[in-house]
Amino acid sequence: MTASASSTRNALALRLLPMRIALWRIVQILAFAAIPVVMLLVNTQLAREFEVSRSLSLEVNRSYRLRAQLQAWHSTHQEIEARQRGFVVTRDPAFLEGHDEARERVGTEYERLSRMAERRPEIAAGLPELAALSQSKIAFAQQAIELSRSGRSEAARNLVASGEGRALMDTIRARIGDMDGVERDRLRRRSALAEAARIRTQRTAYALQTLLVLLLIACGMMIARNMRVRKQAMERFRDLSIRNEAIFDSARDGMLIHDSDGIITSLNPATARMYGYRTDELVGKDVRVLFDIPPSREEIQSFLRRLQTRRQDEIGQVQEFVARRRDGLTFAADVATSPVELAEGPCYLAVIRDVSGRKAVEQMKSDFVSTVSHELRTPLTSIAGSLGLLRGGAAGEFPDRADRLIRIAHDNSERLVRLINDFLDIEKIESGKMPFDVRPVPLGRAIGHSVQANRAFAAGRGVALELEPVDLAAAVLADEDRLAQVIDNLISNAVKFSPEGQVVRLSVSGRRRMHRISVVDRGPGIPEEFRERIFGKFAQADTSDTRQKGGTGLGLAIVREIVIRMGGQVSFDTTIGEGTVFHIDLPAAEPEAEAGRPRGHGRRATDLPRAATAKAGT
Amino acid sequence: MIVNRILYVDDEEDIREIAAMALELDPGFEVRTCASGQEAVRVAPVWRPDLVLLDIMMPGMDGPTTFEQLRVRPELDQVPVVFISARTRTEEMQRLTRLGAAGVIAKPFDPMKLAAIARAYLPA
């Protein structure tokens, strides 16, 4: 998987992470909550089962009592019949002893049956018939007894033999039997239903218990997983911690973290060493103690605010400052600050580098350049000086040839001087050490001076200089000396490349918020192969033709650097055989009543784009 | 004809010679040279030049220090002192003029123009 694809996948996973965590948490909560719920359900099922058993046993009890009662009622009738038979056959009054009592019992028992049959519509429905049969039977028995008692034994026996009594008893027995059967069946059915319900309940209970066990296992697994995940996270955290600490601790640059109030929360050993403190001495301190001249709290706050709103690619810009050690010694330092979101809130990581070494090297280089320039210029002064005197006739007349030789030597010594000057200039500009005192400069005056200064030189080559009228109000923001240097250079080039008798024209035009200075010559034009390199260093060196013109090869490079540093542009148009025009565009300025007076915020190029300074410095 | 006295101070012998020759092209100049700041401080109060041309980078007592020493002498505090400097950019010139110098001449100078430049610094 390509780096970008896998990182996309990681980014997606990272974004979904909170959702996944939330989901998992919900699942866990549900699982754990389900346990008591399931246990409750199990309890409910058991209670239901118990209830079913209880009501069933009640039913059974009632059912048997009813059937017993039916049988008892039946027995009572049988007893009446037996007594009646016995008396009819033997005429023994002993058989009649319990007869009345039995008859009463029939009534009581019937009442009892009616009560019991209140919930038994099928039974209750048959009771009236039973009652009728009972009455008939008792009446029959009574009749037989009366007959016997009154001495009409024959008639009594005939009554009994008629079978009516027996038929009644049979019917009663049959009815009782039916009712008993109905009741028995009913009970059986009820039992079966109850049993089925009980089995269902039992099954449900088992199922719930199984579910409970599974839930417990699942919860157990979840707990185990959580513990494992936590352990992994701890390990990863520990690993990351160790890694970061290793980087933090072993870095050679100082690193510290401070909060949005500027209080240092942590720092690495390099910082402590750099500043001569112990690590614990700086924790909790305001970051301002690290500055020789501490910025105000407001400055720090606004700086941190700007950091927060800056785009990603601007994070970590380098700033120079002077640091102060514990013992009061100061050193030059670079710091790059970037915001970092930590658990405790918005914090800032500052990476500090002691650049006194680099500064020392830069200083050495500067000193070297100064020394060299002095050392080179001193003998050159003597050479150019003596040759100048000779050429000027201060030592008398010379033969032609000597004259020519002296002229050659003098010209070249002057060229050397210009070369050294140009070298030093361009070194200064490129290392950002050339000061640009930018103020409004009236163009008319600036160009006029340059034209004036170069008129003699131009005249010496038979070239005229013309300046088209310049609006008095036209002014640019520039360093006056540098501007003069630039215009001088362009005029000098134009003159050198103009054939004798020609004119070099200067003019000013306005374009939007810039002014354009144009220098036009009627020279041969710039050949195709040069145009790309014309602003490069020693671009002329290739053609011996141009070397004769006496240029150093650095002139246009210097012009370009200066114009750019002043916020402008340089460009040219050329036509072979017709001439060349160079344009300098510079930012327009409000002209001052008294030109050259500072406006109160004359910029210095060293204040401008820090990136440029920082870049040049590294 | 008024003769103006010009004192030229520089540690380089060749340059002193050239400067003297260049200045003497003007018939109204009497030129004297000194090889060091110390010598200049000794000579100037006695010889009373009308103009002092002072090299900046000299071993021992450098230009600015020599200048201070000269200024201390009451008989010299009106005499214009012009520095000769290999560095003639704006900030250098500003720094030197702030010291009280009458002006700065760039080195290497055009010997044929030196006399005229010197005359320009003399009071009219």
Side-chain angles (χ1 to χ4, degrees), chain A residues 375-392:
Chain A
E375 294 302 320
L376 285 177
R377 279 181 167 141
T378 303
L380 254 183
T381 307
S382 302
I383 295 171
S386 11
L387 289 170
L389 282 172
L390 283 173
R391 199 151 162 206

Side-chain angles (χ1 to χ4, degrees), chain A residues 370 374 377-378 380-386 388-389 392-394 417 421 425 428 435 437 479 481-482 485 604, chain B residues 10-12 14-15 17-19 21-22 25 55 57-58 86-91 94 107-112:
Chain A
S370 273
H374 179 258
R377 279 181 167 141
T378 303
L380 254 183
T381 307
S382 302
I383 295 171
S386 11
L389 282 172
V417 169
N421 287 339
D425 273 357
K428 247 198 218 158
D437 192 13
D479 177 307
D481 287 341
R482 301 289 150 252
Q485 188 175 356
R604 300 178 73 80
Chain B
D10 195 316
D11 58 310
E12 288 279 329
D14 291 341
I15 295 182
E17 200 172 327
I18 290 172
M21 237 192 267
L25 290 176
D55 185 31
M57 288 188 67
M58 292 189 288
R87 302 191 282 180
T88 54
R89 299 308 171 193
T90 322
E91 67 165 5
Q94 280 177 359
K107 188 199 272 197
F109 49 79
D110 184 345
M112 300 311 294

Side-chain angles (χ1 to χ4, degrees), chain A residues 288-307:
Chain A
R288 291 157 77 225
V289 307
L290 303 177
F291 289 81
D292 183 38
I293 300 173
S296 69
R297 286 196 194 282
E298 293 72 39
E299 281 176 321
I300 294 187
Q301 288 301 323
S302 77
F303 169 70
L304 294 182
R305 259 201 306 278
R306 278 202 309 278
L307 260 191

